[in-house]
Amino acid sequence: MDTFAEPYTRAGDDISLSAVRDHVRALEARHKANGVQLSGRIIHVCHYLPMTCTLTSSSTRDGVLSPPPTPPRINPVILPSPVEELPPSLDARPAQSERWKLIPRYGHSAMTSGIRSLSVTHEQLILGWTGDILSPAAPPDGDVNPSTGERVPSVRDRIPSSRIPQEDKDALDVELANYTDKNGFTHSNDETGKPITYLPLWMEDNVAHGHYDGYCKQTLWPLFHYLLWQDVATEHASADANYEYYEQANQAFATRLASVLRPGDLVWVHDYHLLLVPRMLRNAMHAGAVSGVGGETGGDVTIGLFVHTPFPSSEVFRCLPRRKEILDGMLGANLICFQTYSYTRHFTSTCVRVCGYETTSHAPMSASASASRGASLTRAKSRGRGGKEGAGAEKYVGIDVQGHVAAVTHCPVGVDAERVARDTLRAGIQPKLEALRVLYADKKIIVGRDKLDVVKGVLQKLRAFEKLLHDYPEWQRKVVLIQVTSPALTDSPKLERQVSELVAHINGEYGSLDFIPVHHYHQTLRKDEFYALLSAADLGVITPLRDGMNTTSMEFVIAQERTKRSPLVLSEFMGISQHMADALQAAAMNRGLAMSEEEKVSRHAALHKVVTTHTSHTWAAVLAKMLLSQINGQNTARQTPYLPRDTLKELYDNAGKRLFLFDYDGTLTPIVKMPSMALPSPDALTALTKLTSDPTNIVYIVSGRDQAFLEEHLGHLPRLGMSAEHGGFIRSPDSAVWMNFTASLDMGWMEEVAEIFRYYTERTTGSHIEMKKSSITWHYRSTDPEWGQFQCRQCQDLLENNVVPKRPIEVLVGKKNLEVRPIAVNKGEIVKRILYQNPGVEFIFCAGDDKTDEDMFRSLLLFPPSSTTKTTMEPPLSVMLVDNTKEHGDVELAVAPEAVFTTAVGHGSKKTLASWHVTTPDEVVEHMLYLVGEVPGGGEELRGYL
């Protein structure tokens, strides 16, 4: 990363909502003009549907009639505003056809509001779990969920999903099709909304609760908030418990999503509950399981992932037993978005350090996306060859996973500012506000409202207030702290006791019979009470130890617009603290209480502008804009289809003469830390032995390895041809003589390059130099990942700017290595030589995994597009250089276009010239074994796309 102090908001992000939507429309128009298929739909995948579902009438449940329904009751936490419609009459019973009662789910309101606002520009589909299906006979008492403001149903309130007949499930689909949230987003007079469709997901109760109450709340949520399990879990808890339910639930979401996908859809997956979905969906696409999408002929779907929680540093995240599965699941997305820049840094560092992936820099958009200059993408300086390419252009940082690059960025969530401002005008607020003013007429009021959770910093806030009274005795008896703590999702008796004891201590130390400095209310406030309290405050104090987007701070600013315009104190450990730079940092209570009116007004104006500009609607529009920016003029990276083994087998059997060309590292063997440890597996040796034993097969290893390594590990196969050092040397089948293609080249540059490599080796612990006869390579796989990559880039810049212009060489950036070789020697020239000398082959299979293998793929682009005719081949340079004593003419090739299988090892979206792909080296070997009638040593089935 180029900076550790990236501004939270960026130039271009403070434009109006209408301007962002204009950018979205311009992007889509340009994409369509370039032939990109767009459906005009955005599918949001959320853990919950934004409504609770109560089954009011079903004659088939348990084989008996349902009991009479309980009349609907007004929620005790959130009162309806005067503009909202009141519920039906309390004594009205639902009609027989009304099987379901749908009530808005009061949680994640910012996210839900933002999603619905996108209906101005796109058709919306919202896929989510139904949640627990409630019984109409549910008792009125019960606990309240602080995050939703609703009563948490007890076990006796819930109807097991297994007992709900399909008829009732179908009826819910009908109800959802006609559902309108009267409290939700409304269009302005000049806007025409597009439809919003709600797609319910049904899951078995044990899977749903093992997923959410188990792995999400007991493992991921504590980890993402820097709490390890020994700090919060019971003595019998395991960090890996319930992962199977998490995986099953994510698979259920991915399967349901795949059933509704169309080519050109945009998909947004929301939050940490569904981190495996992007990879699972992409797997389904490439396996051809999605109609019209993926597979061998389908289009592609652009996937975004937004993580609403904090993301911890790599040192914390690596404590997770399933860390690689989670990261790989996230990296299936095209775009991964976090709340703040620091979270993107943590994620990028985790991918590099835990998984060994590399970061890459790319332009955030193609020319067709130039209208999206305001997209908030993580910057990186241009590193074009010789420092010229893309000079001065901004670039984003992505994670390269076997050729698939996932962009990483950040975009802050806001609140629905218009609705919050409307709610502050509710009729019930003013009387409560006046009552508070009378009750604390001569006192300064400090307000705090948090869940009673260990990460919310309630204890630390109380201690800070105690220190205020101790260090500034002039505030004693002049200031009160009203701290409201709503119940957390899980009880914490120890924390409750500590808070109660500290409150009693402060009141005992600084209070009296007629004055109490701390008023602690452990309850969930009604909406009128909440906004009255925010409006009456002289200072807002929100100090969690770790949090993402705390919307209370934004609501405080909006509520203060019509009253005192009081300052706000925020914890620096909140994601939003960078967003609201004009708020005071914690430990600033005295300054906030003593602040002049002029400074209050000035700070409030700046905060109010941020809150009302960066709203939930703007956030959603920017997300759509950024996701569209990931699509280039060729409909994202071309999806390379998976290698079809049956077609491969058929053409192999029908061919009279066949040519096989294999790279070694990353193609026949996996990439390992020490190059000397990359030994061929028994299956790979079996495949090579079987192929070379057939006299109609010509088999070559075309590798960057030196001659000694290839001879040591593969020299026992006499009919195996070898090319070493990226085409610098070649040994024909049934021959022990190596031919040197660099003998006539100037190799004086090697010592100069070696001196530069020695300089960086001394300064990069764990790196080493590999000297070959025709090239020289600097390896940094065993170094610190980020430092090694930084040094590689510095070394590359030095070589390209100071050595390459003067010498006939080129610099190749490989997998954890940097190689310098003669510009006239490459794998492509060797492949041309082999093919020129064997024009009668009727079947060609060529496999490779990195940039050097693209030269092979390029040399095998023998036919013009859609050509079915034979083609001729000119004598290549590799033939002319060595065999220059005689004339060489063109030769006619016997191979047909459909019998040339250039195969890239890696992700299907990897940018490559190859026509096909497999995912791992094992799959290359398995396909070769299939051709010769063998199975892998373990007897496993061909895995296909992983």
Side-chain angles (χ1 to χ4, degrees), residues 16-204:
S16 67
L17 176 61
S18 61
V20 178
R21 288 173 175 167
D22 288 342
H23 285 173
V24 170
R25 295 184 181 100
L27 276 170
E28 291 190 322
R30 294 190 182 209
H31 285 325
K32 291 178 180 178
N34 289 334
V36 177
Q37 185 176 12
L38 293 174
S39 67
R41 303 196 313 174
I42 299 180
I43 304 178
H44 296 272
V45 189
C46 310
H47 176 234
Y48 281 116
L49 286 176
M51 70 283 292
T52 59
C53 306
T54 301
L55 186 57
T56 60
S57 174
S58 177
S59 60
T60 57
R61 188 171 65 249
D62 292 336
V64 297
L65 293 175
S66 300
T70 299
R73 55 193 288 270
I74 300 177
N75 193 299
V77 178
I78 304 176
L79 295 176
S81 65
V83 298
E84 297 169 355
E85 293 186 13
L86 291 176
S89 173
L90 293 182
D91 60 354
R93 294 183 59 178
Q96 184 64 28
S97 60
E98 296 176 353
R99 298 190 183 187
W100 293 93
K101 179 181 177 62
L102 305 180
I103 301 175
R105 189 186 300 275
Y106 292 98
H108 306 288
S109 58
M111 179 185 75
T112 304
S113 170
I115 289 174
R116 286 175 173 150
S117 71
L118 286 174
S119 61
V120 172
T121 55
H122 291 82
E123 179 184 349
Q124 303 267 31
L125 281 78
I126 302 177
L127 169 62
W129 177 43
T130 59
D132 289 314
I133 302 302
L134 305 184
S135 165
D141 56 344
D143 295 330
V144 173
N145 185 332
S147 65
T148 65
E150 298 172 289
R151 187 180 58 78
V152 178
S154 64
V155 174
R156 67 181 184 273
D157 300 341
R158 305 168 184 163
I159 302 174
S161 60
S162 59
R163 297 184 181 179
I164 299 176
Q166 186 61 44
E167 181 183 357
D168 287 339
K169 294 180 180 180
D170 294 339
L172 178 60
D173 291 337
V174 175
E175 290 288 339
L176 289 172
N178 299 319
Y179 175 77
T180 301
D181 180 13
K182 296 183 175 62
N183 299 330
F185 172 73
T186 56
H187 300 279
S188 61
N189 294 333
D190 57 343
E191 293 174 339
T192 302
K194 297 185 178 181
I196 300 178
T197 303
Y198 299 96
L199 303 173
L201 175 69
W202 296 90
M203 288 192 290
E204 293 295 328

Side-chain angles (χ1 to χ4, degrees), residues 832-870:
K832 289 179 182 178
R833 175 185 175 87
I834 295 171
L835 186 57
Y836 182 82
Q837 294 178 339
N838 298 276
V841 296
E842 299 173 348
F843 173 93
I844 300 175
F845 180 85
C846 177
D849 72 304
D850 64 15
K851 295 178 182 177
T852 63
D853 300 313
E854 294 298 313
D855 293 329
M856 292 199 295
F857 302 150
R858 185 178 294 105
S859 68
L860 292 174
L861 296 175
L862 305 170
F863 302 91
S866 304
S867 173
T868 59
T869 61
K870 301 292 183 181

Side-chain angles (χ1 to χ4, degrees), residues 1 44 76 397 480 515 628 735 807 854 888 939:
M1 298 293 178
H44 296 272
V397 172
V480 295
F515 175 72
L628 285 166
S735 172
R807 299 283 193 171
E854 294 298 313
H888 301 277

Side-chain angles (χ1 to χ4, degrees), residues 862-935:
L862 305 170
F863 302 91
S866 304
S867 173
T868 59
T869 61
K870 301 292 183 181
T871 187
T872 59
M873 185 177 185
E874 298 177 349
L877 179 63
S878 53
V879 172
M880 305 291 290
L881 282 176
V882 179
D883 305 327
N884 55 6
T885 59
K886 58 180 180 179
E887 294 185 1
H888 301 277
D890 296 353
V891 296
E892 183 177 354
L893 302 181
V895 68
E898 65 272 10
V900 178
F901 291 87
T902 51
T903 306
V905 180
H907 197 280
S909 64
K910 180 179 183 178
K911 293 182 179 179
T912 178
L913 295 172
S915 301
W916 307 96
H917 94 279
V918 294
T919 309
T920 65
D922 287 342
E923 293 172 25
V924 176
V925 174
E926 289 168 357
H927 278 80
M928 296 305 102
L929 290 173
Y930 179 72
L931 291 182
V932 296
E934 297 285 338
V935 295

